[in-house]
Amino acid sequence: MYEKIKAVIPLESSPEIFTNFAHELGLKRQMAFDDIYSLTEPDLMAFLPRPMKSIILLFPVNEFFDATKKKEGENDDEPIDSPDGPVIWFKQIISNACGLYALLHSLANNPDCLTEGSVLKEFLSLNKREDGKYNDEPTADFMLSISELYHKNSKQGQTEAPLPEATVDLHFITFIAHGGKIFELDGSRNSAHCLGPARGEDLLDEDLVKGRVQWYMDHADEKMKHQFSLMGMGPSWD
């Protein structure tokens, strides 16, 4: 089944789409995704639900980011001691599926937010290796098993969806806290990237996340600086 899905229509950066898809995969109904309009302005942050268990960033890719991440990744395979075990990271093996990988990184590293018996909970329990990682092949099989759900949600955006084979210059990544550290999880890397120690349980309070998002904004191509968006996974207002 490894070769059956090579490319997909990218997901739109929409809290409604990510929330619906996440619930179908196993996220508890008490949790949802919300737009984040600022990580620094108190008035814009005041109405966000707390704590945020993950933050998803959509940013415009360029050669600078690619080169910097390659250099950063030279130390990413170093073992990280954690009482919670290794952070869960998936290698992106399907073109244009970075939104799905960002969603999986958010959910898989917050197992307390998943319902028992859900499709993702079952996959995680059946396919996790002793080292906490996942082989590409079972991950590809999982993608195939949820392909209908993915296709339905990829068609829900307000903008016209590109073809699966199209080259897309936007990319999703995820920030999570795990084992007392902040991680940037990007399926285009070769492993999880540790940013440093976490201050607490709420990613909205993490200076490392704020600084990293600002780093992406500062180094984006000038004509693409309006292409950023942020979503967070936290308690639902409903």
Side-chain angles (χ1 to χ4, degrees):
M1 285 193 269
Y2 191 89
E3 297 292 339
K4 289 190 176 181
I5 301 178
K6 294 183 177 180
V8 293
I9 297 170
L11 291 176
E12 185 172 290
S13 182
S14 159
E16 292 78 14
I17 292 173
F18 272 69
T19 296
N20 182 68
F21 198 2
H23 286 161
E24 292 174 332
L25 292 176
L27 182 66
K28 293 178 179 178
R29 295 287 169 172
Q30 299 94 323
M31 303 292 291
F33 284 86
D34 286 277
D35 279 317
I36 299 174
Y37 296 109
S38 175
L39 290 173
T40 57
E41 298 183 31
D43 289 346
L44 294 177
M45 297 174 65
F47 297 101
L48 289 172
R50 302 287 190 111
M52 283 292 182
K53 306 289 283 186
S54 76
I55 290 179
I56 293 178
L57 170 67
L58 178 69
F59 68 95
V61 296
N62 61 28
E63 292 182 358
F64 172 81
F65 292 138
D66 292 339
T68 302
K69 289 184 179 186
K70 183 177 180 180
K71 184 176 181 180
E72 289 176 338
E74 293 174 357
N75 297 320
D76 281 347
D77 286 328
E78 294 181 359
I80 299 171
D81 294 330
S82 168
D84 301 326
V87 66
I88 297 177
W89 169 86
F90 300 100
K91 178 68 177 176
Q92 184 176 337
I93 54 176
I94 300 173
S95 180
N96 291 337
C98 57
L100 174 59
Y101 283 87
L103 180 57
L104 293 178
H105 286 146
S106 294
L107 302 180
N109 287 288
N110 287 288
D112 56 319
C113 297
L114 296 177
T115 57
E116 294 297 328
S118 62
V119 59
L120 181 56
K121 191 86 167 184
E122 288 296 302
F123 167 77
L124 293 172
S125 64
L126 292 174
N127 291 285
K128 192 170 185 177
R129 300 184 335 207
E130 290 185 2
D131 62 1
K133 297 181 180 180
Y134 291 81
N135 296 321
D136 286 348
E137 188 165 354
T139 307
D141 291 346
F142 176 71
M143 300 304 179
L144 184 61
S145 72
I146 63 168
S147 59
E148 290 187 10
L149 286 178
Y150 183 92
H151 182 71
K152 180 186 69 174
N153 285 284
S154 67
K155 292 288 189 179
Q156 297 302 310
Q158 297 182 2
T159 58
E160 183 177 354
L163 295 173
E165 297 78 12
T167 299
V168 179
D169 55 6
L170 299 173
H171 188 62
F172 286 101
I173 60 173
T174 304
F175 300 98
I176 60 103
H178 179 85
K181 297 182 182 297
I182 301 296
F183 288 89
E184 177 182 315
L185 303 178
D186 180 348
S188 69
R189 287 179 175 271
N190 291 318
S191 61
H193 179 59
C194 182
L195 297 178
R199 296 173 56 185
E201 297 294 325
D202 190 347
L203 289 174
L204 288 176
D205 294 330
E206 296 293 345
D207 290 337
L208 285 173
V209 175
K210 297 175 184 179
R212 188 64 166 176
V213 170
Q214 189 62 51
W215 178 82
Y216 276 102
M217 297 182 71
D218 290 344
H219 292 92
D221 296 341
E222 193 63 37
K223 63 180 180 180
M224 299 293 287
K225 287 187 179 290
H226 65 289
Q227 295 290 331
F228 284 81
S229 70
L230 280 169
M231 290 182 289
M233 187 179 82
S236 173
W237 290 117
D238 297 333

